[in-house]
Each structure stands twice: as structure tokens, then as C-alpha cells.
Amino acid sequence: METNNALTALAALAHAVRLKVFRLLVQAGPQGLPAGRIAELMEMPASSLSFHLKELHRADLLSSRQEGRSIIYMAHFETMNALLGFLTENCCGGEPCLPDVACHVVEIPGNKR
């Protein structure tokens, strides 16, 4: 993945609604979800959701297909995996990450996951 593509993807995900939509579509798997169902689960009007879907689509983080009268949106797993690969390309200085050198999660008081 090129740096500019990574920046575009990260910028698209750097919004609470778009991140939540993308995670929802990742969870839905390759079959995806209809736009109406996404709007329902996000508890937002379809008109507001369409802007966010367009931004994710522009960043190549999702794809869509027409199914009858519905548009089905799916996470674009190739882009997601390329972005993860880009972010971890030089992890641990090129050495395999072992459990004893892996990052440890530090709990931050008041921080909810």
C-alpha cells in the first residue's frame, strides 16, 4: 500500500461514525449489510449515513452491490489487510514479534474500550 492510500484510509476512519460503520461491516463479513439495515443499527437517517458510506467507498474501504432495490455494502477486506500490513510492516525492527516483546496493554483510568 502506498503512503497516500494509507493516509486516505486513515482519514476516512478518523471519524466516529465512519469507524463504527466500518467495524459493523467487518463484523457482518463478506455478505455485507443493506444500507437501510446499517442506518437502522447506527440509529441515524439514511441521508446522513450516505455521506459517510461515500467517504469510506472513496477510501476503498468498502464496496457495494445492487441487490433488488437495496444497495448492499461490504467491508473491502483487501484494503483493510493492506492497511494493517502497511502499519505493521516494520514491526519489531523486522524481527518476529514474540509474546515476551509484544506490547502490553496499559489500562487508563476512565478509558472505556
Side-chain angles (χ1 to χ4, degrees), residues 6-109:
L7 290 171
T8 300
L10 291 169
L13 292 171
H15 187 282
V17 170
R18 289 192 290 270
L19 181 59
K20 189 172 179 182
V21 167
F22 183 73
R23 293 184 75 205
L24 179 67
L25 290 172
V26 167
Q27 186 177 20
Q31 70 274 8
L33 290 171
R37 181 67 178 141
I38 298 168
E40 199 176 281
L41 292 168
M42 295 291 298
E43 298 178 346
M44 67 186 313
S47 58
S48 299
L49 177 64
S50 65
F51 168 77
H52 297 293
L53 291 171
K54 184 180 97 175
E55 287 299 305
L56 290 168
H57 198 279
R58 187 182 66 77
D60 199 30
L61 287 165
L62 58 82
S63 54
S64 61
R65 72 176 186 276
Q66 188 81 32
E67 196 171 279
R69 295 179 64 187
S70 297
I71 299 175
I72 309 299
Y73 289 93
M74 299 85 55
H76 196 205
F77 291 100
E78 290 97 2
T79 303
M80 179 188 77
N81 289 331
L83 180 60
L84 291 171
F86 177 85
L87 293 172
T88 60
E89 185 175 24
N90 297 312
C91 179
C92 301
E95 298 295 321
C97 292
L98 303 173
D100 59 338
V101 296
C103 297
H104 298 283
V105 176
V106 177
E107 290 295 323
I108 300 170

